[in-house]
Amino acid sequence: MKKMMGLLAAAGLSVMVSAGAVSADLEKEMQERLMPVGEVCMSGEDCAAAPVAAAPAEPRSGVQVYEAHCQTCHATGAAGAPKYGDAGEWAPRISKGIETLYTHAWSGFNAMPAKGLCMDCSEDEVHQAVDHMVEGSK
């Protein structure tokens, strides 16, 4: 009988140890399933140190700004933009003066978005792009 009790005790202990191991595995799996999908990263935390696009080393020319941003609309006349090289479309705008054109290009006007969506352009670069379009459209 003692032998039987010893075997039952050993079997019971074995089941308890196995149940504890299974329970730990289930707990780990459950914790993994309940983990958040993403994380919030606040300014100042290490995870917030995302790379930032470098500003151009040198100012871009009017041609470079035009080709990268302005021609999207001014080459096709999209949204009523005067086409580059079309003197008839540009004449009434040019007659308002270059400062008005600069202001419209910088701040936006009608369907023209501010800076022609060149958000990293300096005011001088935008002015050079306007000068390029005006010179090519007289």
Side-chain angles (χ1 to χ4, degrees), residues 56-72 84 115-118 120-122 124-133:
E58 298 177 10
R60 293 164 284 194
S61 70
V63 173
Q64 289 171 316
V65 172
Y66 171 80
E67 289 175 352
H69 299 281
C70 309
Q71 77 176 355
T72 303
Y84 177 78
K115 301 183 196 181
L117 296 180
C118 182
D120 65 341
C121 281
S122 68
D124 188 52
E125 290 171 327
V126 171
H127 290 184
Q128 288 183 42
V130 170
D131 291 342
H132 168 70
M133 288 185 280

Side-chain angles (χ1 to χ4, degrees), residues 66-100:
Y66 171 80
E67 289 175 352
H69 299 281
C70 309
Q71 77 176 355
T72 303
C73 296
H74 288 283
T76 62
K83 292 181 195 170
Y84 177 78
D86 188 326
E89 289 185 17
W90 277 94
R93 291 165 173 89
I94 293 171
S95 71
K96 293 179 182 178
I98 195 69
E99 290 301 321
T100 299

